Amino acid sequence: MSGHGFTSAFATELDAYLAFKANMGFTGASRIWYLKQFDAYCAAHDRTVFDTDTVEGWVGVQLQRCGRYRSWMSYIRDVGRWMTMNGIPEAYVLSDRWKAPIVAARPYLLSRHEIELFFAAAAQIQTPCPWRWQAVAFFTLMHSCGLRTGETRALQTGQVDLDAGHIDIIWSKGHRSRRLPLTDQVIEILDTCDRTSRAHFAARRTFFVSATGNQVSAATVGKVFARIWDQAALAPARGRPAAPAIRLPASLRLRQHPSMDDRRRRRRRDAALPVSLHGPRDL
């Protein structure tokens, strides 16, 4: 059996492919999970050739059980490309006609009053778990600093410098990093949360923790958000009118400081940030 548990005729190639992606810095669990589904399909149907029938046969089965999001197609397409460049030129590369459609984002804009209701409810959430004191800080970072849910969940205590007034987001989407300044109000909220968390979980690694002192899960964040939303008596998101497209006149558009206009300089700075702060990444 392979290192990832593959059992089909493609076990060796799939292991080598994942090792290649890991060396490139791509170690997501989603890719491994879908390739295991492909491996199980090939083993069950005695598929031994990475050809059109094998790949599209699995894609057809997968389409019967998946939803509208089909980014998993890129994984099997990438495997085919890797094979053609590594000694298997006849390997099939999934046709572009199977590309996942682009799902247009439908943002909803909250009014200032609705935002105030949400954070008032977050401050009064009744629960014995750490969300009682960290809900406001968690969603404040997302709202005020533009953090993604995963970035907020993964934020390490060493990446929060309240004395200097900034946080570091390390190895985020696209394997990029950035440093974000904090306002005095956000610093005060984070400091209150930090002091309470340290009193309960002295050895915690992530800034926000679960009831067991570990990193909070995405599912839990969704449940807490829904609970706060309902407690604030806000209207369900489904059925709300979509935000209209807003195009500001040129005179009102946000402009970067001249020192940030050099893209190459900005990329070099972002690339150096995680290494200078936390050392080279372990692959």
Side-chain angles (χ1 to χ4, degrees), residues 18 21 28 31 35 62 97 126 131 135 150 166 172 176 181 185 199 209 220 230 248 257 268 276:
L18 289 176
K21 298 301 289 187
R31 183 190 311 274
L35 291 185
Q62 194 69 28
R97 71 186 181 90
Q126 298 300 315
W131 287 103
H166 62 69
S172 186
R176 295 182 179 180
Q185 184 179 18
V209 293
T220 301
D230 292 340
L248 297 174
H257 189 277
R268 288 195 299 269
S276 63

Side-chain angles (χ1 to χ4, degrees), residues 28-51:
S30 178
R31 183 190 311 274
I32 297 174
W33 190 88
Y34 280 110
L35 291 185
K36 283 187 175 181
Q37 303 306 304
F38 172 74
D39 177 77
Y41 168 84
C42 293
H45 294 81
D46 196 25
R47 298 286 186 175
T48 59
V49 181
F50 201 89
D51 57 8

Side-chain angles (χ1 to χ4, degrees), residues 41 53-66 72-73 98:
Y41 168 84
D53 290 341
T54 296
V55 176
E56 294 192 355
W58 175 73
V59 169
V61 171
Q62 194 69 28
L63 284 173
Q64 296 175 10
R65 65 180 75 168
C66 79
W72 49 267
M73 290 184 184
W98 293 97

Side-chain angles (χ1 to χ4, degrees), residues 138-161:
F138 188 96
F139 294 110
T140 290
L141 277 181
M142 295 186 66
H143 171 66
S144 300
C145 297
L147 266 63
R148 302 177 178 90
T149 303
E151 293 172 341
T152 313
R153 289 173 47 237
L155 188 65
Q156 305 288 300
T157 55
Q159 296 167 4
V160 180
D161 191 337

